[in-house]
Amino acid sequence: MYPLLTRPSHRSGLKPLPVVIIGNGPSGICLSYLLSGYTPYFKRESLHPNPILQRKLEEAPEVSILDQDLDYLSEGLQGRSDSPVALLLDALQRPDTDWGGTAESVLRWRHEPSRAIPHLVLGRNAPGGAWHSIEGSMVTLSRGEWMGLPDLPFKEWLKQKRRGLRNNRATAEDIAQYYQHYVVKKGLQKNFRCGTVVTSVRKVSAGSISSHTQTDLQENSGSLWNPSEQSTEIFQVDGFFKTVEGDKEPFSIYAENVVLATGTYDSPTWLGVKGENLSYVHHQLSALEEAVKNNSIGIMSDPVLVVGAGLTAADAILFAHHCNIPVIHVFRRRVSDPGLIFNQLPKMMYPEYHKVHQMMKEQTAACAGPYECYISLPEHHVLSFGKDRKCIIQDKNGCQKAYKISMALVLTGSNPNLSFLPNNGIDLAMASDQPVNPKRNPIDVDPFSHECTQEKGLYALGPLAGDNFVRFVQGGALAAASSLLRK
């Protein structure tokens, strides 16, 4: 259904594409939708619960949101994102969702093919990005309806599958299928090239490409672009795609603008301690699922060590608990630390995470609690892993203890892999001497265009720009599409 890239045939002197998007998760899909001519307008008969926003929307209802002043429209909006355009699009699509309301979207979407901008979306997997790498039965942190993309409510899609949301939330498998369905339903497949790995993005002079050959990845992607006379520098995107036979075919394409939408699921964070590269130490939850599946770990095994105090660590604990596998849980923070994600989640909506939080509180090594097969070690950290599967753990006072374990899962977050950019993209970050990190050091972008402040023509969306939730990454796509249409 999603073509792997066609075999390259060389043509010389091709004009660059206007836009190449790297990453085919929710951000890339949403931007492709907007660049394909799908255009949002204010529904005249709608009444938005925010009277100031309603008044602004009534000023020019015949002008598409993409063509309006996003700074003006989003001024004064507040919510769970630091991105003003993310809050704007979320407020237009889900007017009062944070207050438990169910008001309908105030947007009407029109397909205006004349506004479409030729573009390509390059991704390693099927559309949906990292959602295809997450264990399918895992339940999303966000409410199910917040996982939906423009003009195709997730709940409606789920109803067609004759299923409902569990506790208002959805499984990762449902989400991955929905994103694939969305691309087909909206007719975006011709822009998607799956099975591609980008190895380099760099600026070259536009004059130099007429003497180069360009790989034909642009098949079916609309008319080729004529760069403006002033356009002196363009991007060269190199990489390879995996053929059905498993070979790697190199490609090279040129683009006037490149959008980074790769997310941050690529490289798990390491602790940097001795023995972390031993075969029993893993950095992904799937390793535990695999071990249970092939019976190498079970009820009688030594405990599994889980390091970390985020939701992935909690998912690992719930999975092990379900399989009656003993767990030693090590994390650096206090259980009462307000920065701990469990202290920010409503108990009613997330009962299973609340249960893990309770276990963390009540079942420390110092005092036995009601939960068998689980020990919580708050304010501890791992010093080393030994070849004999003994792990040395130290508490805040410097006391050390050795534990015999069957396997270790280091689940302390992940970092984006930007190795295809010069200097790993560090120069683009807010603090340009530190690696890009979605929480602490995102890429520095203009909030109303999502263009990188350090590199014109380069854009960043989603977690790379600090937006980690699907409901908010769509605003970044709106900002980028608005900027690209103006160009």
Side-chain angles (χ1 to χ4, degrees):
M1 193 188 291
Y2 299 96
L4 287 173
L5 291 167
T6 47
R7 288 184 182 280
S9 62
H10 297 288
R11 293 186 198 162
S12 58
L14 279 183
K15 301 296 186 203
L17 265 172
V19 184
V20 167
I21 301 165
I22 303 173
N24 64 0
S27 300
I29 296 172
C30 191
L31 182 56
S32 176
Y33 177 72
L34 293 164
L35 295 182
S36 297
Y38 289 95
T39 310
Y41 290 86
F42 173 57
K43 260 192 235 168
R44 280 172 186 256
E45 66 280 9
S46 293
L47 193 62
H48 198 283
N50 179 328
I52 298 169
L53 183 55
Q54 173 73 17
R55 200 171 63 243
K56 290 178 182 175
L57 292 166
E58 283 172 349
E59 286 168 15
E62 68 293 337
V63 179
S64 99
I65 304 295
L66 282 167
D67 299 324
Q68 293 195 38
D69 181 344
L70 299 178
D71 186 350
Y72 171 65
L73 286 179
S74 58
E75 194 181 7
L77 294 176
Q78 292 177 321
R80 302 181 191 184
S81 168
D82 295 327
S83 161
V85 187
L87 293 175
L88 171 65
L89 185 56
D90 190 57
L92 297 173
Q93 295 199 103
R94 305 172 190 88
D96 56 359
T97 189
D98 279 334
W99 294 276
T102 53
E104 279 189 15
S105 166
V106 299
L107 294 180
R108 173 182 286 113
W109 292 88
R110 288 190 206 147
H111 190 210
E112 300 175 348
S114 60
R115 294 171 62 100
I117 297 178
H119 63 281
L120 277 181
V121 185
L122 308 179
R124 289 168 181 254
N125 304 314
W131 287 95
H132 293 283
S133 316
I134 300 169
E135 165 60 28
S137 60
M138 287 297 164
V139 181
T140 59
L141 171 63
S142 295
R143 295 168 68 103
E145 61 260 37
W146 293 350
M147 306 305 292
L149 296 178
D151 203 30
L152 182 62
F154 178 73
K155 257 186 170 169
E156 277 180 26
W157 174 80
L158 210 54
K159 260 188 212 151
Q160 289 166 2
K161 295 185 60 119
R162 296 196 160 71
R163 283 225 300 293
L165 291 169
R166 195 168 91 210
N167 199 18
N168 273 330
R169 288 149 69 207
T171 66
E173 185 182 10
D174 283 336
I175 301 294
Q177 284 181 13
Y178 164 79
Y179 292 142
Q180 279 188 276
H181 173 79
Y182 186 91
V183 168
V184 175
K185 176 93 175 155
K186 299 297 182 188
L188 310 178
Q189 311 98 299
K190 64 181 184 298
N191 304 314
F192 280 70
R193 299 290 180 272
C194 304
T196 55
V197 177
V198 172
T199 54
S200 159
V201 173
R202 60 197 174 95
K203 276 214 164 147
V204 294
S205 92
S208 69
I209 76 155
S210 56
S211 58
H212 280 66
T213 56
Q214 170 150 315
T215 310
D216 183 18
L217 293 192
Q218 297 175 4
E219 203 175 60
N220 305 328
S221 58
S223 62
L224 295 173
W225 191 257
N226 297 312
S228 60
E229 292 307 308
Q230 309 92 289
S231 163
T232 52
E233 281 195 313
I234 54 170
F235 294 95
Q236 180 174 333
V237 180
D238 295 318
F240 61 85
F241 64 89
K242 292 166 252 174
T243 64
V244 182
E245 297 83 37
D247 300 328
K248 291 179 179 178
E249 293 266 13
F251 69 79
S252 221
I253 42 180
Y254 297 93
E256 298 211 316
N257 301 279
V258 168
V259 182
L260 305 172
T262 53
T264 59
Y265 204 71
D266 291 316
S267 41
T269 311
W270 282 49
L271 300 172
V273 301
K274 188 175 172 229
E276 195 172 0
N277 54 354
L278 290 165
S279 63
Y280 69 92
V281 183
H282 302 273
H283 296 81
Q284 277 172 329
L285 173 54
S286 52
L288 177 60
E289 290 153 358
E290 202 53 46
V292 169
K293 228 180 251 172
N294 62 32
N295 294 323
S296 57
I297 279 188
I299 299 176
M300 304 307 291
S301 307
D302 286 323
V304 169
L305 177 76
V306 175
V307 184
L311 297 174
T312 312
D315 285 335
I317 290 159
L318 288 165
F319 183 79
H321 193 64
H322 178 69
C323 301
N324 295 317
I325 293 165
V327 169
I328 296 167
H329 184 195
V330 172
F331 49 100
R332 285 178 177 270
R333 297 183 187 227
R334 299 190 321 278
V335 181
S336 57
D337 186 324
L340 209 64
I341 183 75
F342 305 103
N343 291 317
Q344 301 166 17
L345 296 176
K347 289 177 189 175
M348 292 296 287
M349 216 169 123
Y350 303 100
E352 74 280 38
Y353 290 139
H354 175 57
K355 181 180 180 178
V356 172
H357 193 211
Q358 226 172 338
M359 289 161 72
M360 288 161 71
K361 266 189 256 185
E362 296 176 16
Q363 191 83 19
T364 57
C367 55
Y371 303 101
E372 283 180 50
C373 306
Y374 172 87
I375 296 173
S376 158
L377 298 175
E379 298 182 90
H380 283 64
H381 63 274
V382 175
L383 281 185
S384 66
F385 297 102
K387 286 185 178 152
D388 53 0
R389 295 192 184 237
K390 278 202 179 127
C391 170
I392 310 294
I393 293 169
Q394 181 171 305
D395 71 9
K396 60 178 176 180
N397 304 316
C399 297
Q400 296 177 13
K401 196 167 178 191
Y403 288 89
K404 181 91 164 65
I405 59 174
S406 57
M407 78 186 292
L409 292 170
V410 177
L411 303 171
T412 52
S414 60
N415 294 300
N417 176 5
L418 297 175
S419 58
F420 57 88
L421 293 176
N423 196 21
N424 290 304
I426 288 175
D427 315 340
L428 304 173
M430 291 276 210
S432 56
D433 55 347
Q434 300 284 320
V436 173
N437 179 287
K439 292 195 176 78
R440 293 181 292 281
N441 194 29
I443 289 177
D444 190 7
V445 296
D446 177 295
F448 300 104
S449 70
H450 273 246
E451 191 167 19
C452 299
T453 50
Q454 305 301 330
E455 190 65 75
K456 293 298 157 225
L458 195 62
Y459 293 75
L461 303 182
L464 293 178
D467 269 321
N468 291 294
F469 289 103
V470 170
R471 66 184 277 208
F472 295 127
V473 303
Q474 300 172 46
L478 181 78
S482 171
S483 164
L484 290 163
L485 280 159
R486 283 197 181 95
K487 285 185 176 182

